[in-house]
Amino acid sequence: MTKFEELNQIYTNAENDFKEYRWNCLNFVIQLGKGLAEYLECDYDEIRYYRPPDKDNKSMEAHPRDALLIDIDTSWHYGMGVNLYVEGNIDNPAMAYIFDLALKKDDKNFGLRFTKEKKEFTLDPKDPTSFIPVYDLIYNLIKNRFEQELEKFLTNKSSEHFPEYG
């Protein structure tokens, strides 16, 4: 083997290693989403994936393989959302509650960071019970966001509002 052929082999191995790493992370993201659907007792179709916010802070819905973008911090960044409905209108989601995530795999586990909430978790893909604190956080984030939203908004304790009201 020539030195040039050796370099090409090394490059090929590096490409394959990166593709395998990405594939493992993608499969984990899907496992996390399916587990969230099970935890929330809803169809997996109610879980959405988004590309990270752009310069205008807009997130675009995407297939998980297109939602994951690696950043300079060497983490995969993506958004995950849960469709929410106004009671009685199950055919038309009123909104998707989206949270921004950063994911990184070490030897056996995955590190998952909620970027806005500054919460981090270490998850074992072979132990679904390790995901429960993540699912609890997601549930509570959504619940707390809307339970007292109007009161918080009217007392200037929150600048967020329901988008359909402008």
Side-chain angles (χ1 to χ4, degrees):
M1 177 182 290
T2 68
K3 289 181 180 183
F4 181 69
E5 290 170 333
E6 182 183 3
L7 290 176
N8 284 311
Q9 184 61 54
I10 291 168
Y11 173 75
T12 299
N13 292 344
E15 279 285 307
N16 289 338
D17 288 348
F18 185 79
K19 286 177 185 175
E20 182 180 345
Y21 176 72
R22 184 178 189 280
W23 184 252
N24 287 333
C25 290
L26 176 61
N27 284 329
F28 179 78
V29 164
I30 293 168
Q31 179 185 2
L32 186 69
K34 287 181 176 179
L36 178 60
E38 186 177 312
Y39 172 89
L40 295 174
E41 301 174 271
C42 65
D43 291 336
Y44 178 58
D45 292 345
E46 304 301 347
I47 307 302
R48 298 287 185 226
Y49 300 92
Y50 296 85
R51 292 179 66 89
D54 62 16
K55 61 180 172 42
D56 297 324
N57 208 27
K58 300 286 183 190
S59 297
M60 183 183 298
E61 188 172 350
H63 186 280
R65 75 175 167 265
D66 300 319
L68 289 172
L69 296 177
I70 202 156
D71 204 348
I72 58 173
D73 67 357
T74 69
S75 294
W76 292 102
H77 291 259
Y78 72 103
M80 183 184 279
V82 177
N83 284 340
L84 298 175
Y85 297 81
V86 172
E87 193 171 0
N89 191 4
I90 191 88
D91 296 325
N92 188 20
M95 72 167 298
Y97 186 93
I98 304 169
F99 32 95
D100 298 324
L101 300 167
L103 177 74
K104 193 170 188 172
K105 184 180 185 300
D106 63 21
D107 291 333
K108 296 178 184 174
N109 297 319
F110 289 84
L112 185 70
R113 187 173 77 246
F114 285 72
T115 54
K116 290 181 183 171
E117 291 76 20
K118 303 205 183 341
K119 300 268 186 183
E120 295 186 32
F121 298 88
T122 299
L123 305 173
D124 178 352
K126 294 180 181 173
D127 179 13
T129 61
S130 72
F131 294 30
I132 293 173
V134 171
Y135 301 149
D136 287 341
L137 176 65
I138 291 168
Y139 173 78
N140 286 313
L141 283 172
I142 297 171
K143 183 176 182 275
N144 293 339
R145 162 72 163 88
F146 294 109
E147 275 190 330
Q148 298 174 354
E149 183 57 31
L150 182 58
E151 182 182 324
K152 288 183 200 174
F153 179 71
L154 293 175
T155 59
N156 294 320
K157 292 180 182 170
S158 172
S159 60
E160 296 188 46
H161 59 281
F162 293 97
E164 62 271 22
Y165 296 112

